[in-house]
Amino acid sequence: MAQQRGVNSLQFNQDQSCFCCAMETGVRIYNVEPLMEKGHLDHEQVGSVALCSMLYRSNLLAFVGGGINPKFSEISVLIWDDARESRDAKDKLVLEFTFTKPVLAVRMRHDKIIIVLKNRIYVYSFPDNPVKLFEFDTRDNPKGLCDLCPSPDKQLLVFPGHKCGSLQLVDLSNTKPGTSSAPFTINAHQSEIACMALNQPGSVVASASRKGTLIRLFDTTTRDKLVELRRGTDPATLYCHLRGWNLPQICVHPRWQLQP
């Protein structure tokens, strides 16, 4: 019987120069320009994979098992170090984070890793001797919505707030481990959040709701709304986001025609 080759998820790295595909046949990593395969982990090494995330263009890759024939659990995040010389896949698995519920998203930067569950987000130091720094309770977040600013000058984390349609922003550099910070909330929409994205410097956040009729951009410092992109009243599906330098970009269904 032919092996399934479906793509379960896709994620760009922090500077948009590469993207990795979590597949039923393992993991594929591609260079953006020129477009070409950069590396892969085959099914014999990692099984079918639900999620994967790479750290810039480094040797570190995070993945979560899933799909039709997983080798690893959906409740664990595995860190793969491709720089290790060993031919044994087990020797390249250098870290493991295990939880009690399925992992829905993983985000990384040079000093931290973010792991998203349905109702909680964990922040760990990374990659040397990881220590849990923070954990945040969230409203139901079945899509694992979250974004992390990669800039060394701003450690901003954004995820759905407790109120329907709101965004919660946390400056991790100004939050002490083991303490709770005052909520920094933007009331962005009236219905549930469907997609969110920070720009590269972390100065602007874009969001859209499940209704899919508009995208709003906010200043992350003042919380002021900067612009609203609107199109008719028919629903549209938003399915992913990209991180731009000046402005974040949200990808929408091809029938979208945005008007300022």
Side-chain angles (χ1 to χ4, degrees):
M1 183 175 177
Q3 198 174 40
Q4 294 284 340
R5 298 182 63 83
V7 176
N8 294 324
S9 67
L10 180 152
Q11 187 173 324
F12 282 84
N13 68 344
Q14 293 79 4
D15 61 9
Q16 308 291 314
S17 63
C18 295
F19 63 91
C20 53
C21 300
M23 306 178 67
E24 294 297 337
T25 53
V27 174
R28 294 289 185 272
I29 300 170
Y30 294 91
N31 189 72
V32 171
E33 192 174 351
L35 182 60
M36 58 184 295
E37 184 174 319
K38 184 175 181 288
H40 67 272
L41 309 180
D42 60 35
H43 188 271
E44 287 69 26
Q45 293 174 296
V46 297
S48 57
V49 177
L51 302 168
C52 60
S53 179
M54 58 187 300
L55 182 62
Y56 286 90
R57 299 178 70 89
S58 75
N59 51 294
L60 295 180
L61 180 77
F63 67 88
V64 178
I68 295 175
N69 189 22
K71 188 174 182 178
F72 300 101
S73 171
E74 64 178 0
I75 66 171
S76 295
V77 177
L78 288 303
I79 306 299
W80 177 279
D81 185 350
D82 202 51
R84 295 214 166 187
E85 297 291 339
S86 175
R87 294 183 179 181
D88 190 339
K90 292 182 179 179
D91 292 334
K92 294 194 174 188
L93 292 171
V94 294
L95 289 172
E96 181 175 351
F97 302 85
T98 300
F99 304 90
T100 58
K101 295 182 179 180
V103 175
L104 302 177
V106 179
R107 299 287 182 269
M108 293 190 289
R109 49 179 285 147
H110 284 308
D111 58 349
K112 291 180 177 65
I113 183 169
I114 312 297
I115 298 170
V116 185
L117 310 187
K118 184 178 179 181
N119 294 101
R120 187 161 293 185
I121 293 177
Y122 294 90
V123 181
Y124 292 84
S125 59
F126 186 77
D128 298 324
N129 302 315
V131 175
K132 185 173 73 173
L133 302 175
F134 316 103
E135 58 180 280
F136 304 102
D137 291 328
T138 70
R139 67 185 292 106
D140 279 355
N141 185 16
K143 294 175 66 176
L145 298 178
C146 174
D147 203 11
L148 178 66
C149 175
S151 170
D153 301 321
K154 197 162 191 175
Q155 299 186 35
L156 191 63
L157 175 68
V158 60
F159 51 89
H162 287 284
K163 179 182 176 182
C164 178
S166 68
L167 304 173
Q168 184 153 336
L169 291 92
V170 178
D171 185 348
L172 299 176
S173 64
N174 291 330
T175 304
K176 295 182 179 179
T179 65
S180 59
S181 60
F184 179 11
T185 302
I186 295 174
N187 294 316
H189 302 274
Q190 293 182 342
S191 54
E192 295 285 358
I193 300 293
C195 200
M196 62 182 65
L198 289 163
N199 65 343
Q200 198 80 10
S203 58
V204 178
V205 60
S207 65
S209 72
R210 290 183 186 174
K211 189 175 180 181
T213 56
L214 56 84
I215 294 173
R216 289 178 173 143
L217 277 67
F218 298 89
D219 186 297
T220 59
T221 300
T222 65
R223 288 175 276 181
D224 293 334
K225 184 171 69 175
L226 301 174
V227 68
E228 181 177 287
L229 302 175
R230 180 183 295 271
R231 54 144 202 98
T233 58
D234 295 334
T237 301
L238 291 91
Y239 55 92
C240 70
H241 70 262
L242 298 175
R243 179 181 290 110
W245 180 258
N246 293 317
L247 292 175
Q249 305 161 20
I250 290 183
C251 299
V252 296
H253 190 280
R255 291 184 180 178
W256 263 74
Q257 293 181 348
L258 296 179
Q259 298 178 356

